[in-house]
Amino acid sequence: MSEGSAMSVGVVGAGTMGAGVAECLAQAGHDVIVVDPDPRAVEQARSRMRDSLRLAILLGRAGGPKPAEAAARVHWTGQLTDLRHAAVVIECVPERIDLKEKVFAELDRVCAPDALLASCTSGIPVDRLAASTTRPEQVVGLHFMNPAPLKDTVEVVRGPRTSPQSLDRALTLLATLDKTGIVVGDGPGFLLNRVLMLCIAEAATALGDGIADADTTDALFEGCLGHPMGPLRTADLIGLDNVHDTMTALRELTGDDHYRPPESLVALVEAGHLGRKTGRGFHEYR
């Protein structure tokens, strides 16, 4: 199968990001295999995808197949061994170092020798994940933004051992999704989250210190700096559990205490207020 044509692509993890990436792939005409051992997560992902595909039609942004045709291209399974014929596999499991390393070691064992292995990690160095495999030259980072179907740009992370051919394959795949890949070097947080997580942490700390409430904080960033979304609304969109996990990983990887999750963030996560997906985070959503 030539580069750029339809191919079999695996997605590991049926969470918000995994479902969004799978939707992008199916809309582009690829056959998608989504792996998640949790039946409840799979059912929730199916539902989210159906709703998102219907919404795409209502908003007039779907120029590809009909929702039913795109959904039919997605196959759901609980077994990683079902990825043995996938040309590319994109890992989208929670942002925990030990979990991702375990997944990559297993993917290395079950996937075809020429398969490209990509991680949607938001901050764990690609070379650390590649070290769990026997094919570090075929490992790359594809940091999709949430919600994946609505974001046109992907941060592409080139590890020190990622081959030029693997980087080209990753960029070609993104082009089939009508997305632009911007290549950065490897390191904790890459570029986006190295900066963004510090911004969210300081905004949440200021909130906890009583300097400004969430509405005021975001209004300043949006009105004074021209940001379409302030740092706390951005955190709510990402998911506060994901923000917490990313900060925790960055603190472990860098030793920099500035990445310690602020108390105001921890309290919301512990209360189950995870942002837009639960209806409440730093802000409330109807």
PDB file of all heavy atoms in Angstrom, residues 41-59:
ATOM      1  N   ALA A  41     -15.628   1.988  28.522  1.00  0.00           N
ATOM      2  CA  ALA A  41     -14.921   3.032  27.793  1.00  0.00           C
ATOM      3  C   ALA A  41     -15.210   2.937  26.303  1.00  0.00           C
ATOM      4  O   ALA A  41     -15.386   3.958  25.620  1.00  0.00           O
ATOM      5  CB  ALA A  41     -13.414   2.927  28.049  1.00  0.00           C
ATOM      6  N   VAL A  42     -15.285   1.714  25.794  1.00  0.00           N
ATOM      7  CA  VAL A  42     -15.581   1.512  24.374  1.00  0.00           C
ATOM      8  C   VAL A  42     -16.975   2.019  24.037  1.00  0.00           C
ATOM      9  O   VAL A  42     -17.176   2.719  23.033  1.00  0.00           O
ATOM     10  CB  VAL A  42     -15.436   0.022  24.000  1.00  0.00           C
ATOM     11  CG1 VAL A  42     -16.016  -0.244  22.610  1.00  0.00           C
ATOM     12  CG2 VAL A  42     -13.964  -0.386  24.045  1.00  0.00           C
ATOM     13  N   GLU A  43     -17.953   1.707  24.864  1.00  0.00           N
ATOM     14  CA  GLU A  43     -19.317   2.143  24.594  1.00  0.00           C
ATOM     15  C   GLU A  43     -19.428   3.665  24.650  1.00  0.00           C
ATOM     16  O   GLU A  43     -20.111   4.280  23.828  1.00  0.00           O
ATOM     17  CB  GLU A  43     -20.291   1.496  25.588  1.00  0.00           C
ATOM     18  CG  GLU A  43     -21.750   1.783  25.280  1.00  0.00           C
ATOM     19  CD  GLU A  43     -22.123   1.455  23.838  1.00  0.00           C
ATOM     20  OE1 GLU A  43     -21.693   0.412  23.321  1.00  0.00           O
ATOM     21  OE2 GLU A  43     -22.863   2.265  23.222  1.00  0.00           O
ATOM     22  N   GLN A  44     -18.758   4.269  25.609  1.00  0.00           N
ATOM     23  CA  GLN A  44     -18.768   5.729  25.699  1.00  0.00           C
ATOM     24  C   GLN A  44     -18.089   6.351  24.480  1.00  0.00           C
ATOM     25  O   GLN A  44     -18.552   7.371  23.952  1.00  0.00           O
ATOM     26  CB  GLN A  44     -18.069   6.174  26.977  1.00  0.00           C
ATOM     27  CG  GLN A  44     -18.843   5.861  28.242  1.00  0.00           C
ATOM     28  CD  GLN A  44     -18.086   6.225  29.505  1.00  0.00           C
ATOM     29  OE1 GLN A  44     -16.858   6.315  29.500  1.00  0.00           O
ATOM     30  NE2 GLN A  44     -18.815   6.434  30.588  1.00  0.00           N
ATOM     31  N   ALA A  45     -17.003   5.727  24.008  1.00  0.00           N
ATOM     32  CA  ALA A  45     -16.305   6.240  22.834  1.00  0.00           C
ATOM     33  C   ALA A  45     -17.173   6.117  21.585  1.00  0.00           C
ATOM     34  O   ALA A  45     -17.212   7.031  20.746  1.00  0.00           O
ATOM     35  CB  ALA A  45     -14.992   5.475  22.634  1.00  0.00           C
ATOM     36  N   ARG A  46     -17.872   5.011  21.433  1.00  0.00           N
ATOM     37  CA  ARG A  46     -18.800   4.839  20.303  1.00  0.00           C
ATOM     38  C   ARG A  46     -19.836   5.963  20.306  1.00  0.00           C
ATOM     39  O   ARG A  46     -20.137   6.565  19.266  1.00  0.00           O
ATOM     40  CB  ARG A  46     -19.522   3.499  20.406  1.00  0.00           C
ATOM     41  CG  ARG A  46     -18.718   2.259  20.062  1.00  0.00           C
ATOM     42  CD  ARG A  46     -19.621   1.042  20.279  1.00  0.00           C
ATOM     43  NE  ARG A  46     -18.972  -0.207  20.074  1.00  0.00           N
ATOM     44  CZ  ARG A  46     -18.956  -0.871  18.913  1.00  0.00           C
ATOM     45  NH1 ARG A  46     -19.548  -0.355  17.858  1.00  0.00           N
ATOM     46  NH2 ARG A  46     -18.356  -2.039  18.818  1.00  0.00           N
ATOM     47  N   SER A  47     -20.402   6.228  21.478  1.00  0.00           N
ATOM     48  CA  SER A  47     -21.429   7.252  21.595  1.00  0.00           C
ATOM     49  C   SER A  47     -20.881   8.632  21.257  1.00  0.00           C
ATOM     50  O   SER A  47     -21.511   9.404  20.519  1.00  0.00           O
ATOM     51  CB  SER A  47     -22.009   7.241  23.015  1.00  0.00           C
ATOM     52  OG  SER A  47     -22.971   8.245  23.174  1.00  0.00           O
ATOM     53  N   ARG A  48     -19.683   8.956  21.795  1.00  0.00           N
ATOM     54  CA  ARG A  48     -19.073  10.248  21.503  1.00  0.00           C
ATOM     55  C   ARG A  48     -18.811  10.404  20.015  1.00  0.00           C
ATOM     56  O   ARG A  48     -19.026  11.477  19.437  1.00  0.00           O
ATOM     57  CB  ARG A  48     -17.754  10.406  22.270  1.00  0.00           C
ATOM     58  CG  ARG A  48     -17.917  10.789  23.724  1.00  0.00           C
ATOM     59  CD  ARG A  48     -16.605  11.292  24.297  1.00  0.00           C
ATOM     60  NE  ARG A  48     -15.542  10.304  24.200  1.00  0.00           N
ATOM     61  CZ  ARG A  48     -15.275   9.414  25.131  1.00  0.00           C
ATOM     62  NH1 ARG A  48     -16.014   9.342  26.217  1.00  0.00           N
ATOM     63  NH2 ARG A  48     -14.270   8.561  24.983  1.00  0.00           N
ATOM     64  N   MET A  49     -18.348   9.332  19.380  1.00  0.00           N
ATOM     65  CA  MET A  49     -18.041   9.410  17.959  1.00  0.00           C
ATOM     66  C   MET A  49     -19.312   9.616  17.136  1.00  0.00           C
ATOM     67  O   MET A  49     -19.341  10.427  16.203  1.00  0.00           O
ATOM     68  CB  MET A  49     -17.296   8.158  17.496  1.00  0.00           C
ATOM     69  CG  MET A  49     -16.856   8.231  16.044  1.00  0.00           C
ATOM     70  SD  MET A  49     -15.942   6.772  15.500  1.00  0.00           S
ATOM     71  CE  MET A  49     -14.478   6.892  16.525  1.00  0.00           C
ATOM     72  N   ARG A  50     -20.376   8.892  17.473  1.00  0.00           N
ATOM     73  CA  ARG A  50     -21.639   9.071  16.755  1.00  0.00           C
ATOM     74  C   ARG A  50     -22.127  10.520  16.856  1.00  0.00           C
ATOM     75  O   ARG A  50     -22.518  11.130  15.871  1.00  0.00           O
ATOM     76  CB  ARG A  50     -22.701   8.117  17.307  1.00  0.00           C
ATOM     77  CG  ARG A  50     -22.552   6.671  16.882  1.00  0.00           C
ATOM     78  CD  ARG A  50     -23.830   5.878  17.188  1.00  0.00           C
ATOM     79  NE  ARG A  50     -24.121   5.846  18.627  1.00  0.00           N
ATOM     80  CZ  ARG A  50     -23.737   4.860  19.425  1.00  0.00           C
ATOM     81  NH1 ARG A  50     -23.032   3.843  18.943  1.00  0.00           N
ATOM     82  NH2 ARG A  50     -24.038   4.888  20.721  1.00  0.00           N
ATOM     83  N   ASP A  51     -22.066  11.059  18.078  1.00  0.00           N
ATOM     84  CA  ASP A  51     -22.516  12.438  18.277  1.00  0.00           C
ATOM     85  C   ASP A  51     -21.645  13.423  17.511  1.00  0.00           C
ATOM     86  O   ASP A  51     -22.143  14.381  16.916  1.00  0.00           O
ATOM     87  CB  ASP A  51     -22.495  12.779  19.774  1.00  0.00           C
ATOM     88  CG  ASP A  51     -23.551  12.022  20.559  1.00  0.00           C
ATOM     89  OD1 ASP A  51     -24.482  11.480  19.931  1.00  0.00           O
ATOM     90  OD2 ASP A  51     -23.432  11.973  21.806  1.00  0.00           O
ATOM     91  N   SER A  52     -20.347  13.196  17.538  1.00  0.00           N
ATOM     92  CA  SER A  52     -19.421  14.105  16.872  1.00  0.00           C
ATOM     93  C   SER A  52     -19.602  14.071  15.356  1.00  0.00           C
ATOM     94  O   SER A  52     -19.571  15.113  14.690  1.00  0.00           O
ATOM     95  CB  SER A  52     -17.981  13.747  17.236  1.00  0.00           C
ATOM     96  OG  SER A  52     -17.067  14.629  16.621  1.00  0.00           O
ATOM     97  N   LEU A  53     -19.810  12.877  14.804  1.00  0.00           N
ATOM     98  CA  LEU A  53     -20.007  12.761  13.357  1.00  0.00           C
ATOM     99  C   LEU A  53     -21.305  13.442  12.926  1.00  0.00           C
ATOM    100  O   LEU A  53     -21.362  14.095  11.875  1.00  0.00           O
ATOM    101  CB  LEU A  53     -20.016  11.289  12.946  1.00  0.00           C
ATOM    102  CG  LEU A  53     -18.652  10.579  13.009  1.00  0.00           C
ATOM    103  CD1 LEU A  53     -18.826   9.072  12.860  1.00  0.00           C
ATOM    104  CD2 LEU A  53     -17.724  11.118  11.923  1.00  0.00           C
ATOM    105  N   ARG A  54     -22.346  13.301  13.744  1.00  0.00           N
ATOM    106  CA  ARG A  54     -23.612  13.980  13.422  1.00  0.00           C
ATOM    107  C   ARG A  54     -23.442  15.498  13.512  1.00  0.00           C
ATOM    108  O   ARG A  54     -23.964  16.249  12.674  1.00  0.00           O
ATOM    109  CB  ARG A  54     -24.713  13.518  14.377  1.00  0.00           C
ATOM    110  CG  ARG A  54     -25.128  12.066  14.208  1.00  0.00           C
ATOM    111  CD  ARG A  54     -26.391  11.781  15.009  1.00  0.00           C
ATOM    112  NE  ARG A  54     -26.662  10.351  15.090  1.00  0.00           N
ATOM    113  CZ  ARG A  54     -26.476   9.607  16.164  1.00  0.00           C
ATOM    114  NH1 ARG A  54     -26.019  10.164  17.272  1.00  0.00           N
ATOM    115  NH2 ARG A  54     -26.745   8.315  16.163  1.00  0.00           N
ATOM    116  N   LEU A  55     -22.724  15.940  14.538  1.00  0.00           N
ATOM    117  CA  LEU A  55     -22.499  17.373  14.710  1.00  0.00           C
ATOM    118  C   LEU A  55     -21.716  17.950  13.540  1.00  0.00           C
ATOM    119  O   LEU A  55     -21.966  19.083  13.109  1.00  0.00           O
ATOM    120  CB  LEU A  55     -21.744  17.622  16.013  1.00  0.00           C
ATOM    121  CG  LEU A  55     -21.483  19.095  16.378  1.00  0.00           C
ATOM    122  CD1 LEU A  55     -22.798  19.845  16.547  1.00  0.00           C
ATOM    123  CD2 LEU A  55     -20.648  19.187  17.649  1.00  0.00           C
ATOM    124  N   ALA A  56     -20.783  17.167  13.006  1.00  0.00           N
ATOM    125  CA  ALA A  56     -20.004  17.624  11.857  1.00  0.00           C
ATOM    126  C   ALA A  56     -20.911  17.941  10.671  1.00  0.00           C
ATOM    127  O   ALA A  56     -20.705  18.925   9.957  1.00  0.00           O
ATOM    128  CB  ALA A  56     -18.974  16.558  11.463  1.00  0.00           C
ATOM    129  N   ILE A  57     -21.932  17.128  10.473  1.00  0.00           N
ATOM    130  CA  ILE A  57     -22.879  17.372   9.386  1.00  0.00           C
ATOM    131  C   ILE A  57     -23.666  18.652   9.663  1.00  0.00           C
ATOM    132  O   ILE A  57     -23.838  19.512   8.772  1.00  0.00           O
ATOM    133  CB  ILE A  57     -23.843  16.178   9.230  1.00  0.00           C
ATOM    134  CG1 ILE A  57     -23.070  14.930   8.808  1.00  0.00           C
ATOM    135  CG2 ILE A  57     -24.946  16.502   8.232  1.00  0.00           C
ATOM    136  CD1 ILE A  57     -22.440  15.015   7.436  1.00  0.00           C
ATOM    137  N   LEU A  58     -24.147  18.805  10.900  1.00  0.00           N
ATOM    138  CA  LEU A  58     -24.954  19.979  11.249  1.00  0.00           C
ATOM    139  C   LEU A  58     -24.159  21.269  11.099  1.00  0.00           C
ATOM    140  O   LEU A  58     -24.704  22.307  10.707  1.00  0.00           O
ATOM    141  CB  LEU A  58     -25.466  19.848  12.684  1.00  0.00           C
ATOM    142  CG  LEU A  58     -26.494  18.738  12.930  1.00  0.00           C
ATOM    143  CD1 LEU A  58     -26.811  18.635  14.425  1.00  0.00           C
ATOM    144  CD2 LEU A  58     -27.772  19.009  12.138  1.00  0.00           C
ATOM    145  N   LEU A  59     -22.855  21.206  11.399  1.00  0.00           N
ATOM    146  CA  LEU A  59     -22.013  22.394  11.308  1.00  0.00           C
ATOM    147  C   LEU A  59     -21.447  22.602   9.916  1.00  0.00           C
ATOM    148  O   LEU A  59     -20.758  23.586   9.664  1.00  0.00           O
ATOM    149  CB  LEU A  59     -20.855  22.286  12.317  1.00  0.00           C
ATOM    150  CG  LEU A  59     -21.259  22.259  13.795  1.00  0.00           C
ATOM    151  CD1 LEU A  59     -20.024  22.121  14.678  1.00  0.00           C
ATOM    152  CD2 LEU A  59     -22.017  23.532  14.158  1.00  0.00           C
TER     153      LEU A  59
END
